[in-house]
Amino acid sequence: MNGTRVGYARCSTDEQDVVIQTEQLLTLGVPEDRIYIDRGFSGTTRRNRAGLDQALAAVWNGSVFTVTKFDRFARNMAEANEILTDLSGRGVLFGLGGSVYDWTDPFGRLFLQTLAMVAEFEANLGHMRTREGMALAKKNGKLKGKQPKLPEPARRSIRRRYAEGEVSLADLATEYSVGRSTIHRIIHGPETSRWSDHTPKLDVIFRPRSFSAPTAVPGFPDPDHVQGDPHRPLRRRAGRRDLGGRRCHVADAAARHVRQAERLANRSHPAGDRAAGHRGRPGSRRRGCGAGGDGLGPAGVPGLPA
């Protein structure tokens, strides 16, 4: 069958090579120009295996599709049965090492199906061991996900140099031997060091103050009532601030009226105030500013009670 064979070789990672498989296929009589190779692909799926697709397209009626080991061909029973059925329908035989098998023969079909079952079983065992090892590493804190391509000092340097306009994004990608998308994520992405695991997080809860109908002003918090209990008034202080940090203009206006009333009261009874020993607090009944006084207090000031 020299010259009628089409060979296929595969390795799971880019670090592996197919030198041994290629030499064995050449020994079996496969021409060098009819050996198709897939590098870095798993045998559990047919997806994206361009070498396998080319090898299946290169066979013809009466030729032999040849591999050195069955698991190099497939590790999935369903896909293996599908490919072998298609090859058999096109009159192509299946070569495993130095042996040739016919899919239409019951014994040949049984043997190939058994090999496919064993290959899938070995792949499933490998996946199970990998998941167990990852779970144990995650439990011990050794599995922290994919590490960044560049260390944090290099990332800070990239942000600083790009912000200062020293270099362009393409120059940084060439200098650090990474893709432009990686530099773009470093520059425009969040700075992970700013919110590290050692940074304390503050839980701030904002509780809005309630508004009461008699004294509330839209856009300002009610300075005279406490949240949840509107019947407990607070003493108004001149110049108090609202939740946004701005001065409350309503309180400022009231303070100005109070100061004006004090000045008028002091001009009216300077001697009486000194004799009484009062400080001139606005609205005090002791000064005679109320109904029982002499009527010369701040009763005439707008906005203040007589």
Side-chain angles (χ1 to χ4, degrees), residues 6 33 58-59 64 79 82 151 173 187 196 275:
V6 175
D33 58 342
V59 294
V64 180
E79 291 186 352
E82 179 182 356
I187 294 174
S196 61

Side-chain angles (χ1 to χ4, degrees), residues 265-286:
N266 291 333
R267 292 197 196 104
S268 301
H269 297 279
D273 291 337
R274 288 193 295 269
H278 299 307
R279 292 187 176 183
R281 293 174 55 189
S284 175
R285 298 277 181 182
R286 301 179 190 178

Side-chain angles (χ1 to χ4, degrees), residues 46 56 59-65 73 79-95 100-106 108-109 112-113:
R46 183 181 175 180
L56 295 177
V59 294
W60 63 94
N61 186 10
S63 62
V64 180
F65 180 85
F73 162 61
E79 291 186 352
N81 290 339
E82 179 182 356
I83 296 174
L84 291 173
T85 301
D86 177 71
L87 291 176
S88 177
R90 295 160 55 187
V92 180
L93 301 177
F94 184 82
V100 178
Y101 300 93
D102 186 1
W103 184 250
T104 59
D105 180 63
R109 180 189 289 263
L112 294 179
Q113 286 179 338

Side-chain angles (χ1 to χ4, degrees), residues 167-188:
V167 290
S168 64
L169 191 145
D171 295 336
L172 289 171
T174 304
E175 178 180 350
Y176 288 93
S177 301
V178 295
R180 297 183 61 180
S181 59
T182 301
I183 301 297
H184 185 274
R185 286 193 298 269
I186 293 175
I187 294 174
H188 301 286

Side-chain angles (χ1 to χ4, degrees), residues 243-299:
L243 292 179
R246 299 167 295 185
R247 294 183 65 86
C248 185
H249 301 289
V250 177
D252 291 343
R256 285 196 298 271
H257 286 297
V258 171
R259 290 194 294 269
Q260 183 181 2
E262 290 178 350
R263 288 195 296 269
L264 292 176
N266 291 333
R267 292 197 196 104
S268 301
H269 297 279
D273 291 337
R274 288 193 295 269
H278 299 307
R279 292 187 176 183
R281 293 174 55 189
S284 175
R285 298 277 181 182
R286 301 179 190 178
R287 297 183 54 208
C289 298
D294 53 7
L296 299 178

Side-chain angles (χ1 to χ4, degrees), residues 8-14 16 37-52 70-76 79 83 119-120 122-124 126-127:
Y8 174 73
R10 180 188 64 83
C11 58
S12 301
T13 63
D14 295 331
Q16 298 174 347
I37 301 173
D38 276 326
R39 291 184 174 88
F41 291 96
S42 172
T44 56
T45 179
R46 183 181 175 180
R47 189 182 305 113
N48 300 327
R49 293 168 64 181
L52 178 60
F70 193 91
D71 58 0
R72 301 297 91 192
F73 162 61
R75 285 179 175 268
N76 186 308
E79 291 186 352
I83 296 174
E120 182 174 350
E122 291 178 347
N124 293 337
H127 295 164

